[in-house]
Amino acid sequence: MKKWTTLIAVATLSLGLAACNETAKPAGSGEVTEKSKLTLQEVYDKSITASEELKSVRAVMDLNQTMNIPSEENELEISSKMDMEYIVEPMQMHQKGTSTVNGLAKGMPAQTSSSESYMTADDLYVYEESAGEWMKFPQEMMAGIMNAAEQANASDQLKQIKGYLDEFTFEQDNSNYILTLEASGEKFTELVKAQVDEVMQSMGAGEEIQMDFDIKSVNYLIHIDKETFQTNKLDVVIDMDMEIDGEKLNVVQDVKSTFSGFNEVEEIVIPQEVIDNAVEL
């Protein structure tokens, strides 16, 4: 169950941004004093360039996920909030947050835990709250973990969804370009499946788990800053039926992400205390 949840979360968060050749209409009933005449294609191209030039970013991610397995009576609910700092090159990341899981077993109370991790191109340290200690992952595990992290590269994901540009509604307010999507169907099933397959292969799980998807609905809300063309908000809600190794389940996942501090994070230092006291796996 934990492995399924991880794969679904990574695949969903890996989905990106879209646009098409129209100019942005004012969002809602509000007035836009600084109207942009850029087309959706122009905004898309500029956002690709901005994401490729990104050096560092801060992010806050809120995840709420419900997993309903017909063969089991209980419904699994997962919620988490993560704060992250990320440097692109050389790759450095610090992530800290809390997660709550409810429905692991009938009658079992919700389980809440804290997590923290540091990651570089060479090392990964994870705090294990139940043991009260830091763990260092072995070098041979780093390749798969690094490949999985690279799936979240913004510029790569923007390029992957290029064929879906015409599906988005394009609006603007005084500060942002606003893209929205409410869709369903086989077209989006194939997009999700392709990205999950990539994540599983990078984790070395491609031959171990067989997955089929049916996307019931997918909703996006994306904000792109008018001046920097950086994505500062990305909300994704996906309702999908899945079959994993012959077992069917329904997954509803709501991920809200906000991004800030573009190119402001200059260095992420792993505390010496963590390095000295970590238990090697």
Side-chain angles (χ1 to χ4, degrees):
M1 180 69 71
K2 183 178 180 181
K3 193 171 188 178
W4 297 352
T5 304
T6 301
L7 292 173
I8 296 165
V10 171
T12 303
L13 289 172
S14 290
L15 297 179
L17 175 65
C20 67
N21 289 316
E22 298 177 358
T23 56
K25 299 177 181 179
S29 58
E31 288 193 14
V32 178
T33 57
E34 298 293 335
K35 293 182 180 179
S36 170
K37 295 183 179 180
L38 291 179
T39 66
L40 282 82
Q41 185 65 54
E42 289 171 329
V43 171
Y44 174 76
D45 292 341
K46 288 179 180 292
S47 66
I48 287 281
T49 300
S51 66
E52 290 177 337
E53 294 176 350
L54 183 67
K55 297 179 180 179
S56 66
V57 67
R58 296 186 179 95
V60 176
M61 299 182 182
D62 285 289
L63 164 68
N64 290 282
Q65 181 171 275
T66 301
M67 303 179 71
N68 190 329
I69 305 174
S71 62
E72 300 182 12
E73 294 183 1
N74 58 305
E75 183 177 75
L76 185 64
E77 298 178 349
I78 304 168
S79 62
S80 62
K81 182 173 183 178
M82 295 291 172
D83 292 278
M84 181 179 71
E85 290 186 330
Y86 181 76
I87 295 176
V88 177
E89 184 65 36
M91 199 286 289
Q92 302 170 56
M93 183 178 71
H94 177 221
Q95 181 173 277
K96 189 174 184 178
T98 58
S99 298
T100 300
V101 180
N102 192 22
L104 286 173
K106 191 173 182 180
M108 178 184 292
Q111 306 292 307
T112 300
S113 60
S114 299
S115 63
E116 186 173 7
S117 61
Y118 288 91
M119 185 175 182
T120 69
D122 300 315
D123 299 300
L124 173 63
Y125 294 87
V126 178
Y127 183 72
E128 176 56 52
E129 185 181 31
S130 60
E133 60 186 9
W134 284 89
M135 299 181 299
K136 181 181 180 181
F137 281 71
Q139 186 69 31
E140 57 266 25
M141 294 182 63
M142 288 303 302
I145 296 171
M146 284 294 297
N147 288 335
E150 288 173 0
Q151 296 301 319
N153 182 284
S155 61
D156 289 345
Q157 299 309 319
L158 290 176
K159 293 170 185 176
Q160 287 183 14
I161 52 79
K162 187 175 182 179
Y164 298 82
L165 303 183
D166 293 337
E167 306 291 338
F168 281 76
T169 299
F170 188 46
E171 298 177 314
Q172 63 179 305
D173 58 22
N174 285 322
S175 301
N176 301 291
Y177 298 103
I178 303 171
L179 288 79
T180 57
L181 172 70
E182 295 181 6
S184 61
E186 184 177 351
K187 182 175 183 178
F188 295 95
T189 297
E190 291 304 312
L191 173 63
V192 174
K193 184 178 186 302
Q195 299 214 9
V196 172
D197 286 345
E198 288 185 6
V199 173
M200 287 198 299
Q201 289 174 7
S202 70
M203 290 182 171
E207 298 180 358
E208 300 174 13
I209 301 176
Q210 297 298 320
M211 292 188 181
D212 288 317
F213 297 86
D214 180 19
I215 303 299
K216 299 173 70 174
S217 65
V218 55
N219 299 331
Y220 288 80
L221 172 62
I222 304 166
H223 285 192
I224 304 172
D225 186 271
K226 280 186 170 181
E227 293 185 4
T228 66
F229 294 96
Q230 297 287 1
T231 301
N232 55 47
K233 180 181 178 66
L234 171 59
D235 296 349
V236 182
V237 181
I238 294 183
D239 184 348
M240 57 184 166
D241 291 329
M242 306 179 66
E243 185 172 334
I244 304 178
D245 288 342
E247 184 162 26
K248 296 181 179 179
L249 67 154
N250 173 258
V251 178
V252 178
Q253 184 166 261
D254 185 345
V255 182
K256 291 180 170 58
S257 306
T258 57
F259 304 92
S260 62
F262 300 101
N263 300 327
E264 292 180 2
V265 183
E266 297 182 355
E267 185 180 19
I268 297 174
V269 179
I270 303 176
Q272 191 62 42
E273 180 182 359
V274 172
I275 297 174
D276 293 341
N277 297 319
V279 176
E280 294 195 17
L281 295 182

